[in-house]
Amino acid sequence: MATIAPQKIATVFRRPEATTGFWSWITTVDHKKIAVMYGYTAFGFFIVGGIEALLLRIQLAGPDGTFLTAAQYNGLFTTHAVTMIFLFVMPMASAFFNYLLPLMLGARDVAFPRMNAVSYWIFLFGGIFIYSSLFFATNPAPLGGNLPGGALDASPLGSIPNGGWFLYAPNSGTQFSPGTSIDYAALGLQILGIASLISAVNFIVTIFNMRTKGMRLLRMPVFVWMTLIVAFLLLFSLPIIAIALFMLTADRQFGSVFFVASSGGDPILWQNLFWLFGHPEVYILILPAMGMVSEVLPVFSRKPLFGYPAIVFAGGAIAFLGFGVWAHHMFSSDIPTVAQAAFGLSTMTIAIPTGIKIFNWIATIWGGRIRLKTPMLFSLGFVALFVIGGLSGVTHAIVPSDWQQTDTYYIVAHFHYVLFGGAVFGLFSGLYYWFPKLTGRMYNERLGQVHFGLMFLGTNLTFGPMHWLGLQGMVRRTWVYSADTGLGPWNMVVSIGAFIIALSIFVFMVNWTWSKRKGEIAPNDPWDARTLEWTIPSPTPEYNFGVEPTVTALDDFWHQKYDEDDEGRAVRRPEADELVDRLIEANGNPTTEIHLPAPSYFPIIAGFGMMLLAYGIIYHTRPWGIPLIVVGILMLISSLLGWGGEPLEEVHEEHLDGQGDSDHDPGSLDPNQESTPRELAGVED
Amino acid sequence: MSDIVHDDLTESADDHDSHGHHESTGVDNRKLGMWFFLSSEFLFFGTLITNYLLFKGRDFGPGSIYPVEFYDIPFTSISSFVLLMSSLTMVLAHAALVRGDQNQTRTWLAATGMLGLVFVSGQFFEFTEFVNEGLKLTTNPAASAFFLLTGFHGIHVVVGVVLLLSLWGKSVRQPGGLSPEQGLSVELVGLYWHFVDIIWIVIFVVVYLIQ
Amino acid sequence: MSGRQSKRVWRRYALLGLTSLLLAACSEQTLPLNSLDPKGPIAERIDGLFWPVFWIAVIVFFLVQGALLAAILIFRDRNVEGQKEPKQIHGNAVLEVVWTAIPTLILAGIAVPTISAVFDLADCPTGAFEVDIVGHQWWFEYSYPDYDITTANVLVIPTETEVCANMTSDDVLHNFWIPNLNGKRYLVPGSNTELRLNADEPGEYWGQCAEFCGLSHAKMRARVIALDQSDFDLWVEEQQEVPEPPAEGTPEWEGLQVFQQAGCTGCHVLAGVNEPSRQDVTVVAPNLTHFASRSVFAGATLPSGFDPTQEEREAALASWLADPPSIKPGSFMPDLGLTADQIDALIAYLESLE
Ligand code: HEA
Ligand code: HEA
Ligand code: CUA
Ligand SMILES: [Cu+2]
């Protein structure tokens, strides 16, 4: 190994030492702790975004609603979308990536543990930054316009960003949105983008470099593959939105005129840039869920995934094609006819690889022995609901039809089916599936099924009628509709559905909090699973694998437990139970010294500095604006350099040599002997 | 960086692997990470350049002025040359490090940083000239795009200079010069520096020379 | 009632409820913004494209969901001792080809009519009847270059005529949509877009700005009135007349005084009162020359309902004049602090502008 001479470098702070409690979380670089923080933060934002949706639905329950003002409504649908997409689905997926990548690859951590922490803190402060607009931002009427009662600024809740989640220019310019609320959105998204970019690099390197022995690319679980694809999508789409947001910020803060039509600017350029990012983004949202479903379906059908290479390849194809369809969001915009036709065609082609996935999933469960446990229910729900959203997506690709549909609730129905029925169902499937891994306990199955039932019902009640509403002419982003449009009754149904979803989420929260503490202790291999994360104790020990695993096949763990008979049916090996126990035992009691990366303060400092910098940019004309920028940059630089120079020696001081020293039998394992799990368990090939 | 720990793990594992093949790529994590980061940066500048090309010839009404009219090609050629030279010194710094010549490493690192600074100053001078002559960020979208593109490139150079100087500082302060671990940092900063340089060449050709 | 039976009854009710909702949905074909109710050749072409695709989607839907349900029902774990473990099948190349090829063929089949419709519907045919549409926050301005008419909120077109709308925007993006007549099209500041409209029958067609355009986007609606050619010609004649000034002392005359003194002319153009010529119109506010001839105003949101009475119309106008921003937040027409008397006078005047 490359030994490093201990360096004496003056650091500003005392080296963090806590391993439990508050400070351990602040300074942690453990991918599992970071995953947990990601998960809870994201879920918190989900509740926020959900409550925003409920407010929208209260307003729309009947015609001419008066529950919200226009400014409040416009703000709420904007933050609802930003929250759900950037602060819930993406970071929740990131939580899973963080937790599972190393476990599925047989690694002890991600490639860059500290960058991982940086990414989390930047994300958190980005979210806080966006929501701080609630207190600090201003939202006056467009220049020359008047607010009700002669007010100068929108009502308190109306100060959140309000340009719609894609912030179309020129409405997002200073002339039409003179306050600071749009700046909060633009810079907030910028910050979140940086966080995602960092994780993307981290995950790619982790997947390429941190695989355990024998873990060839085509032996990686599909979830890992989807992570890799998502990371590449991020890597190539984020720079585009970064530029777009910089241009918007420059227009708003420094007087450039990219999107100012009266100065020759080009509002349609914004649309092109946004959707060039935005469409890959929707696959960034769905592919992680597709990965999870691809893990859950085989396990609960007790069959291997049907067409593994096809599913992997289809994922790649979706991502690749996803960069060539962006203008389908602009069919009624100012684009040439030829482009409309071309983008209509390219959009249709995406249905092909997606179909491949759907059909392979169905073939996976076909002929299986399907156990309808909660994770499975959610995965099946995913397939059922995603298909609905996908099919309505294809009807948008019929360009002239889309001229009728675009900007109506028909679109809103489409994307909630794929996002909520798709991505969110997938995420819940994952949350239940890996709950025992995370907590060492089982969730309550009955409550889980109630959650699924309510959520499935609620989803269809909420988003199903939206198709109809859209075709009947209900336009999106309208804070009121008049009674004479006749849209009232179905809107009521939609609003009731939303509250049923809320109830289901409440059931989930009860289940989670209760089971985490009081649930039954989970068995070692509760689902009779196929992937490496189930060969180690639950909850996962800090060092993941006591013994570095070696894999010899896809679904190696399963093949250690099962043989096939002449008919090709799975037959559990007689020694399988013992094998699992021994694996868990061995992995829980490492004998070699395991070096863990040292905790650090710098990630949180970097995140905080980023936020200060953003405030500084918004308020750069105030006396304290420039100082804020300077402080922010200094914090960024110092954490960058400080962390580059942070000493590594405590790696040697703080090493772990097995948690349960007392019940650890040193004789059972020879630290110097590299053993495969099979050998460990005494399985002969 | 802490990530060395993993190399430790994988390497030691490799030692015991009689078949001698480990699936992971064999490229250092940080180097691999830098490559992927730069691939993202490529799109970043690609978007900026495209953006400028989209706007550069548009008609902004009577009396509109364009960045092209303000270029001082000889001046920019010189500063481009300076930046190009800094790539050379960067290569020299790395070569010196490989030879184990800490003194030379130190010198060439400093030289690279200084050349970078010269370039940025030239850039700054060019900007002020333009602004004085009436081409501002606010003039029209072509001007906006020009300043955004060259400005972001400038920021990248500044970041590179900060990294170079911090490495230089370490090599001065540490009695033994740069450690092997920091040697990798030199290589990484070098990668970044060359990237920034290449991007400038593209900008110089596409934005300044081809009109 | 046994538990099983009650479950069945419950199901029947659920089914009943669902079908009645669906029936209600289908019978509501008369909704004013219904995009599935084409009233002209263009909208019909789109409709004719939508339904086949819709039915294909329905078939795919039933196949996929059917397969999913069947798999769940047939292969679910019955939890019986000795149930055999499944065969471990990893894939099947033939199947992969089949389920790649079939969707490809279906999509290719859909693509052909789509592309031909895109090109057929794209450009305005030459010699079409031209109108100009300019989007403003939050109302549409219409003008007829051939007739020197400028109006707002209500677009009057002749039936069975290819109407070509040349559109642009004065501020942000808007999106002009008359579901019965065609799909929608953006209005883009700084550039021009075209939208074709063609109505078979005389009638009133509702519309709505579909792109989020700021605070009062919801209240940016539109109305198209299609008239027979002869009626249309009459309408043109009326619109081209400059209204007679009201006789002194009448309530209308009072209104005119208020109109001139309260600052209305600073924004609104009214032929005969201030600059009438189209070229000089400062388009910050709707042209009010023939205000009373327009069935709706304030972004086609007032008065609401299908057949408002004159009283309802006047009440709506009164509320508008009293406090525009409370009706349209962000409105560019301020609350001018008019007294009730002034409002009454203005109503009398404006309502005389046939
Ligand atoms: C998870 C996110 C997600 C996903 C996966 C998708 C998937 C798809 N989307 Fe969607 N989309 C969004 C999120 C998503 N979308 C969002 C958020 C918006 C709106 C943004 C906004 O305006 O705010 C949007 C908007 C949007 C539009 C623009 C509408 C408009 O504004 O006018 C279009 C147009 O073509 C479109 C198309 C598609 C298509 C063709 C797919 C395809 O990938 C779907 C493919 C899947 C299937 C087709 C089903 C399974 C396949 C089979 C069973 C095979 C057999 C099928 C056939 C032969 C047809 N989407
Ligand atoms: C992943 C993305 C995602 C998710 C999950 C959702 C979820 C939901 N969305 Fe959203 N939505 C978008 C993405 C998403 N949406 C986007 C991109 C837009 C477009 C915005 C734009 O136009 O710019 C949009 C717009 C949008 C609109 C249209 C607004 C408009 O155009 O005017 C509506 C209206 O009904 C809506 C509703 C809902 C509802 C009811 C849910 C529900 O599924 C939410 C369910 C969740 C909850 C209800 C959580 C509640 C839990 C509790 C309340 C527990 C209580 C406990 C405590 C308080 C402790 N959404
Ligand atoms: Cu105009 Cu919405
Ligand atoms: Cu899309």
Side-chain angles (χ1 to χ4, degrees), chain C residues 12-30:
Chain C
R12 190 178 307 153
Y13 277 116
L15 210 69
L16 252 173
L18 212 70
T19 36
S20 54
L21 269 178
L22 274 175
L23 279 176
C26 296
S27 62
E28 276 179 56
Q29 293 284 339
T30 51

Side-chain angles (χ1 to χ4, degrees), chain C residues 19-92:
Chain C
T19 36
S20 54
L21 269 178
L22 274 175
L23 279 176
C26 296
S27 62
E28 276 179 56
Q29 293 284 339
T30 51
L31 292 189
L33 290 166
N34 190 349
S35 70
L36 302 177
D37 184 17
K39 293 285 171 61
I42 303 165
E44 263 155 27
R45 179 79 189 266
I46 296 177
D47 201 54
L49 198 57
F50 174 75
W51 285 109
V53 177
F54 175 77
W55 288 116
I56 291 173
V58 167
I59 293 168
V60 175
F61 170 84
F62 277 109
L63 287 179
V64 172
Q65 310 289 5
L68 204 59
L69 263 181
I72 294 168
L73 291 179
I74 302 172
F75 299 110
R76 73 173 187 283
D77 188 358
R78 273 161 237 281
N79 233 338
V80 286
E81 264 314 304
Q83 185 178 346
K84 279 191 185 161
E85 289 288 356
K87 284 189 184 153
Q88 303 291 300
I89 301 165
H90 292 264
N92 181 316

Side-chain angles (χ1 to χ4, degrees), chain A residues 108 111 113 209 235 255 266 548, chain B residues 3 9 13 24-25 27 29 40 138:
Chain A
R108 294 228 161 96
N209 257 4
L235 201 65
D266 186 350
E548 206 196 352
Chain B
D3 316 280
L9 281 173
S24 297
T25 59
V27 181
N29 279 347
S40 182
T138 52

Side-chain angles (χ1 to χ4, degrees), chain A residues 304-309 360 363, chain C residues 88-96 99:
Chain A
L305 186 66
F306 196 91
Y308 168 91
N360 276 298
Chain C
Q88 303 291 300
I89 301 165
H90 292 264
N92 181 316
V94 178
L95 277 178
E96 300 290 345
W99 59 49

Side-chain angles (χ1 to χ4, degrees), chain A residues 482-485, chain C residues 30 32 203-206 221 223 225 294-297 300-314 316:
Chain A
S482 67
D484 47 33
T485 55
Chain C
T30 51
E204 199 177 8
Y205 305 106
W206 291 37
R221 288 162 66 179
R223 205 57 68 83
I225 293 183
R294 309 204 287 249
S295 56
V296 281
F297 55 90
T301 55
L302 293 176
S304 58
F306 289 100
D307 276 310
T309 61
Q310 184 61 24
E311 287 80 64
E312 282 168 340
R313 184 176 159 92
E314 287 180 10

